[in-house]
Amino acid sequence: MNKTVNQKAWFLVLPVLVLVAFSAVIPLMTVVNYSVQDTFGQNVFFWNGIMWFEEMLNSERMWNALGRQVVFSAIILAIEVPLGVFVALNMPKKGFWASFCLVVMSLPLLIPWNVVGTIWQIFGRVDIGLLGYTLDAIGIDYNYTQGFFAAWTTVIVMDVWHWTSLVALLAYAGLQSIPDAYYQAAKIDQASRWAVFRYIELPKMMGVLMIAILLRFMDSFMIYTEPFVVTGGGPGNATTFLSIDLVKMALGQFDLGPAAAFSLMYFLVILAISWVFYTVMVNLDKREGR
Amino acid sequence: MAWMAWTWPTAAFFAVIAALLVIFTVLAVKFPETPRRGVLGIETTRGDRLFITLLASAFLNLAWLGFGIAPQPYALIACLVLAAGIFRFV
């Protein structure tokens, strides 16, 4: 039977296209326009060519912020992904406790970013916070407003607390989709626990895990609210991540041009990494489809 | 449109990209192709190669500027060479 060619279904994509145009494409074009101009407000702009890009590429401040950002993302990925998989492996497979675990796990995901920030801001305070007070009482010098190490630890532990559940839930969904026959075959072969994980569970989880890593990477790479609420980027510039620094530059100092130039580079980095992840994911699917 | 602070160069930049997208869409409809596997080991169509080219060109331009290799317009020539390479081998 010959299928008739009908491309009208493309029109169904139109609303999304309009929405994305208004929420992303047009603002992005505006940022591109800002990046080649200078302004003192009043929507009056002066041509500046590629000077802002040159300035930003040679700006130690921005490279440092980018460096901190990369380190932050690397650390939280290195903690959250293995931890999430570990949690998922140890969650009950069915029954009351499975549902109970799922609900408990998803609780942190439901809390808005600024509330998470506030919770940890108070939790870590030495005078009234449970964590800060306890650590102080047992003699650990912990003060996230002054100590570099304390500030980083707080921000990282907060992110792990907030988002490990996401990785765990996705990994759990991946695990649930493995038919029992695989485990039975492994048992017949007397496969070790490690072999079952390495050759059955991990390959089957790969697809969702890639999505989890991509989501966590993008979210952590763009993190703003939580560290801003907890440390405000301090002490000094210790936890001033990219978006915090960009907001400082764009809104605090009203340097729209340099901020736009840098945010475009920031965007390119995210685009490149997301493309790599996407390509890997699509190719994983293809290999599984064969 | 005034709030978007348009300039002629940026408008031309977006016009070129829009034109490229239109051309490649028309090409894809008129001359359908099967994806092929190149040096990256992934299947790519013309559209994929265009995307890779544009992204790589952006990074090439930034590197050109950051390392101060030569005046910026020459980066465009390098980009064309890069584009030819990507369309041939990727």
Side-chain angles (χ1 to χ4, degrees), chain A residues 26 29-30 32-34 36-37 43 45 47 50 53-54 57 265 268 271-272 275 279 283 286, chain B residues 2-7 9-10 13-14 37 40-43 51-52 55 58-59 62 65-66 72:
Chain A
I26 292 177
M29 285 170 132
T30 312
V32 173
N33 292 342
Y34 284 173
V36 293
Q37 297 178 88
N43 217 28
F45 288 89
W47 175 254
I50 52 172
F53 287 94
E54 206 168 356
L57 281 169
M265 299 182 212
L268 284 174
L271 190 61
W275 176 77
T279 311
N283 280 290
K286 270 187 198 147
Chain B
W3 67 272
M4 285 178 75
W6 280 104
T7 62
T10 50
F13 169 75
F14 282 117
R37 201 172 279 265
L40 291 183
I42 52 169
E43 287 187 350
F51 176 79
I52 297 170
L55 195 58
F59 279 104
L62 287 177
L65 184 64
Q72 204 60 21

mmCIF file of all heavy atoms in Angstrom, chain A residues 26 29-30 32-34 36-37 43 45 47 50 53-54 57 265 268 271-272 275 279 283 286, chain B residues 2-7 9-10 13-14 37 40-43 51-52 55 58-59 62 65-66 72:
data_model
loop_
_atom_site.group_PDB
_atom_site.id
_atom_site.type_symbol
_atom_site.label_atom_id
_atom_site.label_comp_id
_atom_site.label_asym_id
_atom_site.label_seq_id
_atom_site.Cartn_x
_atom_site.Cartn_y
_atom_site.Cartn_z
ATOM 1 N N ILE A 26 14.131 35.154 20.344
ATOM 2 C CA ILE A 26 14.176 36.617 20.276
ATOM 3 C C ILE A 26 15.050 37.211 21.386
ATOM 4 O O ILE A 26 15.891 38.072 21.111
ATOM 5 C CB ILE A 26 12.744 37.199 20.274
ATOM 6 C CG1 ILE A 26 12.075 36.804 18.944
ATOM 7 C CG2 ILE A 26 12.751 38.698 20.437
ATOM 8 C CD1 ILE A 26 10.647 37.234 18.818
ATOM 9 N N MET A 29 18.577 36.683 20.341
ATOM 10 C CA MET A 29 18.990 37.627 19.298
ATOM 11 C C MET A 29 19.299 38.988 19.919
ATOM 12 O O MET A 29 20.271 39.653 19.533
ATOM 13 C CB MET A 29 17.870 37.785 18.271
ATOM 14 C CG MET A 29 17.738 36.601 17.331
ATOM 15 S SD MET A 29 16.236 36.777 16.383
ATOM 16 C CE MET A 29 16.834 36.455 14.753
ATOM 17 N N THR A 30 18.502 39.386 20.888
ATOM 18 C CA THR A 30 18.742 40.666 21.549
ATOM 19 C C THR A 30 20.091 40.659 22.252
ATOM 20 O O THR A 30 20.830 41.640 22.201
ATOM 21 C CB THR A 30 17.615 40.950 22.563
ATOM 22 O OG1 THR A 30 16.376 40.708 21.919
ATOM 23 C CG2 THR A 30 17.667 42.374 23.048
ATOM 24 N N VAL A 32 22.655 38.929 21.368
ATOM 25 C CA VAL A 32 23.670 39.069 20.310
ATOM 26 C C VAL A 32 23.820 40.542 19.938
ATOM 27 O O VAL A 32 24.935 41.053 19.794
ATOM 28 C CB VAL A 32 23.301 38.220 19.071
ATOM 29 C CG1 VAL A 32 24.258 38.510 17.921
ATOM 30 C CG2 VAL A 32 23.331 36.744 19.405
ATOM 31 N N ASN A 33 22.691 41.231 19.817
ATOM 32 C CA ASN A 33 22.755 42.657 19.483
ATOM 33 C C ASN A 33 23.463 43.459 20.569
ATOM 34 O O ASN A 33 24.260 44.344 20.272
ATOM 35 C CB ASN A 33 21.342 43.214 19.283
ATOM 36 C CG ASN A 33 20.692 42.645 18.042
ATOM 37 O OD1 ASN A 33 21.379 42.124 17.175
ATOM 38 N ND2 ASN A 33 19.385 42.729 17.969
ATOM 39 N N TYR A 34 23.171 43.136 21.829
ATOM 40 C CA TYR A 34 23.831 43.837 22.939
ATOM 41 C C TYR A 34 25.336 43.620 22.918
ATOM 42 O O TYR A 34 26.106 44.501 23.278
ATOM 43 C CB TYR A 34 23.301 43.328 24.291
ATOM 44 C CG TYR A 34 21.926 43.830 24.673
ATOM 45 C CD1 TYR A 34 21.286 43.330 25.800
ATOM 46 C CD2 TYR A 34 21.281 44.800 23.925
ATOM 47 C CE1 TYR A 34 20.025 43.778 26.159
ATOM 48 C CE2 TYR A 34 20.023 45.248 24.280
ATOM 49 C CZ TYR A 34 19.405 44.731 25.388
ATOM 50 O OH TYR A 34 18.168 45.167 25.751
ATOM 51 N N VAL A 36 27.533 43.522 20.768
ATOM 52 C CA VAL A 36 28.415 44.304 19.898
ATOM 53 C C VAL A 36 28.223 45.801 20.117
ATOM 54 O O VAL A 36 28.703 46.610 19.328
ATOM 55 C CB VAL A 36 28.187 43.969 18.407
ATOM 56 C CG1 VAL A 36 28.631 42.550 18.112
ATOM 57 C CG2 VAL A 36 26.731 44.158 18.022
ATOM 58 N N GLN A 37 27.503 46.148 21.204
ATOM 59 C CA GLN A 37 27.244 47.568 21.431
ATOM 60 C C GLN A 37 27.472 47.944 22.881
ATOM 61 O O GLN A 37 27.594 47.084 23.748
ATOM 62 C CB GLN A 37 25.782 47.892 21.052
ATOM 63 C CG GLN A 37 25.505 47.644 19.588
ATOM 64 C CD GLN A 37 24.050 47.911 19.253
ATOM 65 O OE1 GLN A 37 23.683 49.023 18.941
ATOM 66 N NE2 GLN A 37 23.219 46.901 19.343
ATOM 67 N N ASN A 43 17.974 52.923 26.461
ATOM 68 C CA ASN A 43 17.902 52.180 25.198
ATOM 69 C C ASN A 43 18.652 52.881 24.062
ATOM 70 O O ASN A 43 18.275 52.815 22.909
ATOM 71 C CB ASN A 43 16.447 51.932 24.800
ATOM 72 C CG ASN A 43 16.272 50.575 24.160
ATOM 73 O OD1 ASN A 43 17.032 49.647 24.454
ATOM 74 N ND2 ASN A 43 15.297 50.442 23.275
ATOM 75 N N PHE A 45 22.188 52.983 22.094
ATOM 76 C CA PHE A 45 23.315 52.063 21.940
ATOM 77 C C PHE A 45 24.387 52.635 21.032
ATOM 78 O O PHE A 45 24.092 53.406 20.120
ATOM 79 C CB PHE A 45 22.832 50.721 21.384
ATOM 80 C CG PHE A 45 22.049 49.923 22.381
ATOM 81 C CD1 PHE A 45 20.672 50.074 22.491
ATOM 82 C CD2 PHE A 45 22.681 49.032 23.231
ATOM 83 C CE1 PHE A 45 19.953 49.358 23.420
ATOM 84 C CE2 PHE A 45 21.965 48.303 24.151
ATOM 85 C CZ PHE A 45 20.598 48.468 24.253
ATOM 86 N N TRP A 47 27.843 51.488 18.744
ATOM 87 C CA TRP A 47 28.532 50.362 18.122
ATOM 88 C C TRP A 47 29.891 50.148 18.762
ATOM 89 O O TRP A 47 30.641 51.089 18.985
ATOM 90 C CB TRP A 47 28.686 50.624 16.624
ATOM 91 C CG TRP A 47 29.484 49.595 15.916
ATOM 92 C CD1 TRP A 47 30.746 49.719 15.447
ATOM 93 C CD2 TRP A 47 29.071 48.262 15.604
ATOM 94 N NE1 TRP A 47 31.154 48.537 14.845
ATOM 95 C CE2 TRP A 47 30.139 47.640 14.936
ATOM 96 C CE3 TRP A 47 27.888 47.538 15.834
ATOM 97 C CZ2 TRP A 47 30.071 46.323 14.486
ATOM 98 C CZ3 TRP A 47 27.831 46.228 15.381
ATOM 99 C CH2 TRP A 47 28.911 45.640 14.717
ATOM 100 N N ILE A 50 33.713 43.972 17.998
ATOM 101 C CA ILE A 50 34.000 42.751 18.740
ATOM 102 C C ILE A 50 34.832 43.028 19.987
ATOM 103 O O ILE A 50 35.405 42.128 20.581
ATOM 104 C CB ILE A 50 34.737 41.730 17.842
ATOM 105 C CG1 ILE A 50 35.947 42.384 17.202
ATOM 106 C CG2 ILE A 50 33.810 41.162 16.789
ATOM 107 C CD1 ILE A 50 36.833 41.419 16.459
ATOM 108 N N PHE A 53 33.968 41.047 23.142
ATOM 109 C CA PHE A 53 34.425 39.650 23.086
ATOM 110 C C PHE A 53 35.905 39.576 23.418
ATOM 111 O O PHE A 53 36.347 38.709 24.165
ATOM 112 C CB PHE A 53 34.158 39.057 21.701
ATOM 113 C CG PHE A 53 32.704 38.765 21.457
ATOM 114 C CD1 PHE A 53 31.893 39.692 20.830
ATOM 115 C CD2 PHE A 53 32.147 37.572 21.884
ATOM 116 C CE1 PHE A 53 30.553 39.428 20.621
ATOM 117 C CE2 PHE A 53 30.805 37.299 21.678
ATOM 118 C CZ PHE A 53 30.001 38.231 21.038
ATOM 119 N N GLU A 54 36.653 40.536 22.847
ATOM 120 C CA GLU A 54 38.091 40.559 23.104
ATOM 121 C C GLU A 54 38.357 40.781 24.594
ATOM 122 O O GLU A 54 39.170 40.098 25.205
ATOM 123 C CB GLU A 54 38.726 41.677 22.278
ATOM 124 C CG GLU A 54 40.179 41.426 21.974
ATOM 125 C CD GLU A 54 40.709 42.381 20.921
ATOM 126 O OE1 GLU A 54 39.919 43.183 20.370
ATOM 127 O OE2 GLU A 54 41.911 42.330 20.667
ATOM 128 N N LEU A 57 37.396 37.645 26.594
ATOM 129 C CA LEU A 57 38.313 36.515 26.401
ATOM 130 C C LEU A 57 39.602 36.721 27.188
ATOM 131 O O LEU A 57 40.312 35.774 27.506
ATOM 132 C CB LEU A 57 38.631 36.343 24.915
ATOM 133 C CG LEU A 57 37.547 35.646 24.095
ATOM 134 C CD1 LEU A 57 37.830 35.776 22.613
ATOM 135 C CD2 LEU A 57 37.440 34.181 24.474
ATOM 136 N N MET A 265 29.278 33.219 24.961
ATOM 137 C CA MET A 265 30.285 32.156 25.033
ATOM 138 C C MET A 265 29.809 31.041 25.955
ATOM 139 O O MET A 265 29.982 29.847 25.659
ATOM 140 C CB MET A 265 31.594 32.726 25.562
ATOM 141 C CG MET A 265 32.180 33.802 24.685
ATOM 142 S SD MET A 265 33.730 34.341 25.386
ATOM 143 C CE MET A 265 33.720 36.030 24.899
ATOM 144 N N LEU A 268 27.438 29.008 24.077
ATOM 145 C CA LEU A 268 28.099 28.132 23.110
ATOM 146 C C LEU A 268 28.663 26.885 23.791
ATOM 147 O O LEU A 268 28.570 25.783 23.254
ATOM 148 C CB LEU A 268 29.228 28.889 22.396
ATOM 149 C CG LEU A 268 28.777 29.873 21.322
ATOM 150 C CD1 LEU A 268 29.954 30.654 20.799
ATOM 151 C CD2 LEU A 268 28.083 29.137 20.180
ATOM 152 N N LEU A 271 25.775 24.683 24.574
ATOM 153 C CA LEU A 271 25.257 24.111 23.326
ATOM 154 C C LEU A 271 26.150 22.968 22.852
ATOM 155 O O LEU A 271 25.662 21.889 22.491
ATOM 156 C CB LEU A 271 25.185 25.209 22.261
ATOM 157 C CG LEU A 271 24.454 24.874 20.975
ATOM 158 C CD1 LEU A 271 23.007 24.547 21.271
ATOM 159 C CD2 LEU A 271 24.535 26.032 19.994
ATOM 160 N N ALA A 272 27.455 23.200 22.883
ATOM 161 C CA ALA A 272 28.386 22.177 22.403
ATOM 162 C C ALA A 272 28.279 20.918 23.248
ATOM 163 O O ALA A 272 28.169 19.801 22.719
ATOM 164 C CB ALA A 272 29.817 22.721 22.418
ATOM 165 N N TRP A 275 25.045 19.108 22.715
ATOM 166 C CA TRP A 275 25.035 18.414 21.429
ATOM 167 C C TRP A 275 25.785 17.085 21.521
ATOM 168 O O TRP A 275 25.335 16.066 20.996
ATOM 169 C CB TRP A 275 25.658 19.295 20.344
ATOM 170 C CG TRP A 275 25.746 18.598 19.033
ATOM 171 C CD1 TRP A 275 24.730 18.379 18.159
ATOM 172 C CD2 TRP A 275 26.906 17.977 18.470
ATOM 173 N NE1 TRP A 275 25.195 17.667 17.074
ATOM 174 C CE2 TRP A 275 26.522 17.411 17.241
ATOM 175 C CE3 TRP A 275 28.235 17.860 18.889
ATOM 176 C CZ2 TRP A 275 27.422 16.726 16.425
ATOM 177 C CZ3 TRP A 275 29.123 17.184 18.072
ATOM 178 C CH2 TRP A 275 28.707 16.622 16.856
ATOM 179 N N THR A 279 24.054 13.536 20.851
ATOM 180 C CA THR A 279 24.563 12.624 19.826
ATOM 181 C C THR A 279 24.855 11.261 20.427
ATOM 182 O O THR A 279 24.505 10.222 19.853
ATOM 183 C CB THR A 279 25.839 13.211 19.207
ATOM 184 O OG1 THR A 279 25.584 14.570 18.864
ATOM 185 C CG2 THR A 279 26.246 12.466 17.974
ATOM 186 N N ASN A 283 22.918 7.775 19.454
ATOM 187 C CA ASN A 283 23.670 6.636 18.957
ATOM 188 C C ASN A 283 23.521 5.415 19.853
ATOM 189 O O ASN A 283 23.546 4.292 19.369
ATOM 190 C CB ASN A 283 25.141 7.014 18.793
ATOM 191 C CG ASN A 283 25.355 7.782 17.499
ATOM 192 O OD1 ASN A 283 25.259 7.219 16.434
ATOM 193 N ND2 ASN A 283 25.576 9.078 17.607
ATOM 194 N N LYS A 286 20.291 3.870 18.871
ATOM 195 C CA LYS A 286 20.399 3.157 17.594
ATOM 196 C C LYS A 286 21.041 1.796 17.791
ATOM 197 O O LYS A 286 20.623 0.801 17.227
ATOM 198 C CB LYS A 286 21.247 3.989 16.626
ATOM 199 C CG LYS A 286 20.405 4.938 15.808
ATOM 200 C CD LYS A 286 21.250 5.610 14.750
ATOM 201 C CE LYS A 286 20.539 6.847 14.239
ATOM 202 N NZ LYS A 286 21.464 7.893 13.884
ATOM 203 N N ALA B 2 12.645 48.287 18.154
ATOM 204 C CA ALA B 2 13.717 49.156 18.637
ATOM 205 C C ALA B 2 14.320 48.614 19.922
ATOM 206 O O ALA B 2 15.534 48.734 20.136
ATOM 207 C CB ALA B 2 13.178 50.568 18.861
ATOM 208 N N TRP B 3 13.494 47.977 20.740
ATOM 209 C CA TRP B 3 14.008 47.494 22.020
ATOM 210 C C TRP B 3 15.056 46.406 21.833
ATOM 211 O O TRP B 3 15.847 46.139 22.722
ATOM 212 C CB TRP B 3 12.861 46.981 22.885
ATOM 213 C CG TRP B 3 12.201 45.747 22.327
ATOM 214 C CD1 TRP B 3 11.171 45.694 21.448
ATOM 215 C CD2 TRP B 3 12.556 44.393 22.609
ATOM 216 N NE1 TRP B 3 10.854 44.403 21.165
ATOM 217 C CE2 TRP B 3 11.688 43.577 21.857
ATOM 218 C CE3 TRP B 3 13.515 43.783 23.428
ATOM 219 C CZ2 TRP B 3 11.757 42.192 21.892
ATOM 220 C CZ3 TRP B 3 13.572 42.402 23.461
ATOM 221 C CH2 TRP B 3 12.697 41.626 22.694
ATOM 222 N N MET B 4 15.072 45.770 20.652
ATOM 223 C CA MET B 4 16.048 44.709 20.435
ATOM 224 C C MET B 4 17.417 45.252 20.049
ATOM 225 O O MET B 4 18.376 44.497 19.929
ATOM 226 C CB MET B 4 15.565 43.746 19.355
ATOM 227 C CG MET B 4 14.471 42.817 19.862
ATOM 228 S SD MET B 4 13.853 41.719 18.592
ATOM 229 C CE MET B 4 15.182 40.540 18.471
ATOM 230 N N ALA B 5 17.505 46.585 19.889
ATOM 231 C CA ALA B 5 18.792 47.234 19.619
ATOM 232 C C ALA B 5 19.502 46.626 18.409
ATOM 233 O O ALA B 5 20.660 46.211 18.496
ATOM 234 C CB ALA B 5 19.699 47.164 20.853
ATOM 235 N N TRP B 6 18.796 46.561 17.282
ATOM 236 C CA TRP B 6 19.391 45.941 16.100
ATOM 237 C C TRP B 6 20.535 46.772 15.529
ATOM 238 O O TRP B 6 20.550 47.995 15.643
ATOM 239 C CB TRP B 6 18.329 45.769 15.009
ATOM 240 C CG TRP B 6 17.476 44.576 15.235
ATOM 241 C CD1 TRP B 6 16.198 44.564 15.708
ATOM 242 C CD2 TRP B 6 17.845 43.212 15.037
ATOM 243 N NE1 TRP B 6 15.751 43.274 15.813
ATOM 244 C CE2 TRP B 6 16.738 42.432 15.402
ATOM 245 C CE3 TRP B 6 19.001 42.586 14.580
ATOM 246 C CZ2 TRP B 6 16.758 41.048 15.333
ATOM 247 C CZ3 TRP B 6 19.016 41.208 14.512
ATOM 248 C CH2 TRP B 6 17.904 40.451 14.887
ATOM 249 N N THR B 7 21.490 46.070 14.934
ATOM 250 C CA THR B 7 22.534 46.743 14.167
ATOM 251 C C THR B 7 22.581 46.044 12.818
ATOM 252 O O THR B 7 22.136 44.903 12.698
ATOM 253 C CB THR B 7 23.912 46.604 14.821
ATOM 254 O OG1 THR B 7 24.261 45.219 14.865
ATOM 255 C CG2 THR B 7 23.921 47.163 16.227
ATOM 256 N N PRO B 9 25.226 44.782 11.129
ATOM 257 C CA PRO B 9 26.011 43.536 11.093
ATOM 258 C C PRO B 9 25.291 42.350 11.739
ATOM 259 O O PRO B 9 25.311 41.248 11.189
ATOM 260 C CB PRO B 9 27.278 43.902 11.875
ATOM 261 C CG PRO B 9 27.385 45.377 11.723
ATOM 262 C CD PRO B 9 25.983 45.893 11.711
ATOM 263 N N THR B 10 24.646 42.596 12.905
ATOM 264 C CA THR B 10 23.981 41.460 13.548
ATOM 265 C C THR B 10 22.779 41.020 12.725
ATOM 266 O O THR B 10 22.479 39.831 12.633
ATOM 267 C CB THR B 10 23.543 41.791 14.987
ATOM 268 O OG1 THR B 10 22.833 43.027 14.979
ATOM 269 C CG2 THR B 10 24.718 41.879 15.919
ATOM 270 N N PHE B 13 24.067 38.960 10.019
ATOM 271 C CA PHE B 13 24.472 37.670 10.593
ATOM 272 C C PHE B 13 23.280 36.723 10.695
ATOM 273 O O PHE B 13 23.328 35.571 10.234
ATOM 274 C CB PHE B 13 25.106 37.933 11.967
ATOM 275 C CG PHE B 13 25.347 36.710 12.801
ATOM 276 C CD1 PHE B 13 26.391 35.850 12.493
ATOM 277 C CD2 PHE B 13 24.555 36.435 13.897
ATOM 278 C CE1 PHE B 13 26.625 34.726 13.262
ATOM 279 C CE2 PHE B 13 24.782 35.306 14.670
ATOM 280 C CZ PHE B 13 25.823 34.460 14.350
ATOM 281 N N PHE B 14 22.177 37.241 11.269
ATOM 282 C CA PHE B 14 21.000 36.382 11.430
ATOM 283 C C PHE B 14 20.352 36.075 10.081
ATOM 284 O O PHE B 14 19.816 34.985 9.889
ATOM 285 C CB PHE B 14 19.992 37.011 12.379
ATOM 286 C CG PHE B 14 20.385 36.863 13.806
ATOM 287 C CD1 PHE B 14 20.657 37.966 14.594
ATOM 288 C CD2 PHE B 14 20.492 35.600 14.370
ATOM 289 C CE1 PHE B 14 21.032 37.818 15.916
ATOM 290 C CE2 PHE B 14 20.868 35.442 15.691
ATOM 291 C CZ PHE B 14 21.145 36.554 16.462
ATOM 292 N N ARG B 37 28.181 7.947 7.553
ATOM 293 C CA ARG B 37 29.062 7.904 8.719
ATOM 294 C C ARG B 37 30.424 8.479 8.337
ATOM 295 O O ARG B 37 31.026 8.030 7.362
ATOM 296 C CB ARG B 37 29.202 6.448 9.157
ATOM 297 C CG ARG B 37 29.641 6.249 10.562
ATOM 298 C CD ARG B 37 29.548 4.772 10.898
ATOM 299 N NE ARG B 37 28.179 4.394 11.226
ATOM 300 C CZ ARG B 37 27.721 4.347 12.473
ATOM 301 N NH1 ARG B 37 28.514 4.641 13.474
ATOM 302 N NH2 ARG B 37 26.481 3.993 12.719
ATOM 303 N N LEU B 40 33.798 11.269 12.538
ATOM 304 C CA LEU B 40 33.389 11.320 13.940
ATOM 305 C C LEU B 40 32.735 10.014 14.383
ATOM 306 O O LEU B 40 32.462 9.815 15.556
ATOM 307 C CB LEU B 40 32.410 12.473 14.170
ATOM 308 C CG LEU B 40 32.971 13.886 14.058
ATOM 309 C CD1 LEU B 40 31.898 14.898 14.375
ATOM 310 C CD2 LEU B 40 34.138 14.074 15.009
ATOM 311 N N GLY B 41 32.447 9.125 13.427
ATOM 312 C CA GLY B 41 31.838 7.853 13.774
ATOM 313 C C GLY B 41 30.350 7.961 14.057
ATOM 314 O O GLY B 41 29.747 7.057 14.611
ATOM 315 N N ILE B 42 29.755 9.103 13.686
ATOM 316 C CA ILE B 42 28.313 9.259 13.892
ATOM 317 C C ILE B 42 27.664 9.496 12.541
ATOM 318 O O ILE B 42 28.306 9.973 11.610
ATOM 319 C CB ILE B 42 27.987 10.447 14.823
ATOM 320 C CG1 ILE B 42 28.690 11.705 14.311
ATOM 321 C CG2 ILE B 42 28.370 10.131 16.238
ATOM 322 C CD1 ILE B 42 28.229 12.953 15.003
ATOM 323 N N GLU B 43 26.376 9.129 12.473
ATOM 324 C CA GLU B 43 25.659 9.355 11.226
ATOM 325 C C GLU B 43 25.262 10.812 11.121
ATOM 326 O O GLU B 43 24.711 11.375 12.058
ATOM 327 C CB GLU B 43 24.417 8.472 11.179
ATOM 328 C CG GLU B 43 24.757 7.014 10.945
ATOM 329 C CD GLU B 43 23.531 6.172 10.724
ATOM 330 O OE1 GLU B 43 22.414 6.688 10.946
ATOM 331 O OE2 GLU B 43 23.684 5.007 10.327
ATOM 332 N N PHE B 51 25.039 22.263 11.235
ATOM 333 C CA PHE B 51 25.061 22.613 12.653
ATOM 334 C C PHE B 51 26.476 22.519 13.208
ATOM 335 O O PHE B 51 26.960 23.434 13.881
ATOM 336 C CB PHE B 51 24.116 21.688 13.437
ATOM 337 C CG PHE B 51 24.141 21.922 14.906
ATOM 338 C CD1 PHE B 51 23.456 22.981 15.457
ATOM 339 C CD2 PHE B 51 24.877 21.093 15.751
ATOM 340 C CE1 PHE B 51 23.482 23.214 16.821
ATOM 341 C CE2 PHE B 51 24.911 21.311 17.114
ATOM 342 C CZ PHE B 51 24.209 22.378 17.643
ATOM 343 N N ILE B 52 27.151 21.415 12.897
ATOM 344 C CA ILE B 52 28.526 21.231 13.380
ATOM 345 C C ILE B 52 29.416 22.357 12.851
ATOM 346 O O ILE B 52 30.229 22.923 13.585
ATOM 347 C CB ILE B 52 29.078 19.861 12.942
ATOM 348 C CG1 ILE B 52 28.248 18.744 13.563
ATOM 349 C CG2 ILE B 52 30.534 19.704 13.349
ATOM 350 C CD1 ILE B 52 28.545 17.367 13.024
ATOM 351 N N LEU B 55 28.633 25.668 14.740
ATOM 352 C CA LEU B 55 29.131 25.633 16.113
ATOM 353 C C LEU B 55 30.659 25.709 16.119
ATOM 354 O O LEU B 55 31.257 26.489 16.875
ATOM 355 C CB LEU B 55 28.649 24.356 16.801
ATOM 356 C CG LEU B 55 28.762 24.313 18.312
ATOM 357 C CD1 LEU B 55 27.993 25.465 18.928
ATOM 358 C CD2 LEU B 55 28.217 23.003 18.850
ATOM 359 N N ALA B 58 31.886 29.148 15.353
ATOM 360 C CA ALA B 58 31.793 30.071 16.484
ATOM 361 C C ALA B 58 33.017 29.921 17.374
ATOM 362 O O ALA B 58 33.655 30.912 17.760
ATOM 363 C CB ALA B 58 30.518 29.796 17.281
ATOM 364 N N PHE B 59 33.371 28.673 17.686
ATOM 365 C CA PHE B 59 34.535 28.440 18.545
ATOM 366 C C PHE B 59 35.818 28.870 17.849
ATOM 367 O O PHE B 59 36.719 29.416 18.482
ATOM 368 C CB PHE B 59 34.607 26.972 18.970
ATOM 369 C CG PHE B 59 33.696 26.663 20.114
ATOM 370 C CD1 PHE B 59 32.507 25.993 19.919
ATOM 371 C CD2 PHE B 59 34.014 27.076 21.400
ATOM 372 C CE1 PHE B 59 31.642 25.729 20.975
ATOM 373 C CE2 PHE B 59 33.166 26.826 22.466
ATOM 374 C CZ PHE B 59 31.975 26.145 22.251
ATOM 375 N N LEU B 62 36.142 32.577 18.145
ATOM 376 C CA LEU B 62 36.538 32.989 19.495
ATOM 377 C C LEU B 62 38.012 32.696 19.728
ATOM 378 O O LEU B 62 38.736 33.530 20.291
ATOM 379 C CB LEU B 62 35.682 32.260 20.530
ATOM 380 C CG LEU B 62 34.239 32.740 20.636
ATOM 381 C CD1 LEU B 62 33.473 31.891 21.633
ATOM 382 C CD2 LEU B 62 34.193 34.201 21.064
ATOM 383 N N LEU B 65 40.114 35.180 17.970
ATOM 384 C CA LEU B 65 40.143 36.464 18.675
ATOM 385 C C LEU B 65 40.953 36.362 19.957
ATOM 386 O O LEU B 65 41.789 37.224 20.245
ATOM 387 C CB LEU B 65 38.699 36.884 18.993
ATOM 388 C CG LEU B 65 38.505 38.247 19.639
ATOM 389 C CD1 LEU B 65 38.942 39.350 18.697
ATOM 390 C CD2 LEU B 65 37.042 38.432 20.010
ATOM 391 N N GLY B 66 40.724 35.287 20.699
ATOM 392 C CA GLY B 66 41.383 35.127 21.998
ATOM 393 C C GLY B 66 42.889 35.009 21.867
ATOM 394 O O GLY B 66 43.631 35.603 22.642
ATOM 395 N N GLN B 72 40.445 39.746 12.522
ATOM 396 C CA GLN B 72 39.267 38.890 12.609
ATOM 397 C C GLN B 72 38.656 38.462 11.265
ATOM 398 O O GLN B 72 38.243 37.318 11.138
ATOM 399 C CB GLN B 72 38.212 39.565 13.484
ATOM 400 C CG GLN B 72 37.228 38.601 14.102
ATOM 401 C CD GLN B 72 37.901 37.561 14.991
ATOM 402 O OE1 GLN B 72 39.007 37.746 15.456
ATOM 403 N NE2 GLN B 72 37.231 36.450 15.194
#
